[in-house]
Amino acid sequence: MSSFDILGSLGAPSAAPEKCSRKGCRAAASYQILWNNPKIHTPERRKVWLACAEHQEWLAEYLRQRGMLKEVVPFDAPHVTEGNQS
């Protein structure tokens, strides 16, 4: 393999599935959990956590208790919403 082969592969998109945002979880994401912190974000801004089926409710409840949960939607393609895993 030449140096050019290595450099060419650096910008290649990853085929690996997006992972759950729950600490320590390596499962593929099935849901997008859309949220914002009203103390620091404008009302229309949406941050995104990704969740596997096992952790979707735990992550949503964490945000719900803090008044930050906006919506939970299926994750079926690369998302165009802002802030993956923020």
Side-chain angles (χ1 to χ4, degrees):
M1 176 180 281
S2 75
S3 298
F4 294 110
D5 292 333
I6 294 169
L7 291 174
S9 67
L10 292 177
S14 173
E18 299 274 357
K19 303 290 184 200
C20 178
S21 296
R22 178 77 162 104
K23 185 176 181 179
C25 184
R26 298 286 183 244
S30 304
Y31 299 92
Q32 293 183 82
I33 301 174
L34 308 177
W35 63 279
N36 82 1
N37 183 340
K39 293 180 182 178
I40 61 174
H41 299 130
T42 59
E44 65 278 353
R45 181 161 185 199
R46 294 294 180 266
K47 302 289 281 181
V48 178
W49 282 352
L50 298 177
C52 65
E54 180 181 351
H55 294 118
Q56 178 268 321
E57 186 56 39
W58 189 95
L59 291 166
E61 185 59 27
Y62 177 89
L63 293 166
R64 187 178 295 113
Q65 288 178 0
R66 289 154 180 80
M68 294 190 249
L69 180 65
K70 297 301 176 189
E71 186 178 12
V72 177
V73 296
F75 177 72
D76 54 352
H79 55 283
V80 295
T81 54
E82 178 183 340
N84 177 23
Q85 300 182 29
S86 296

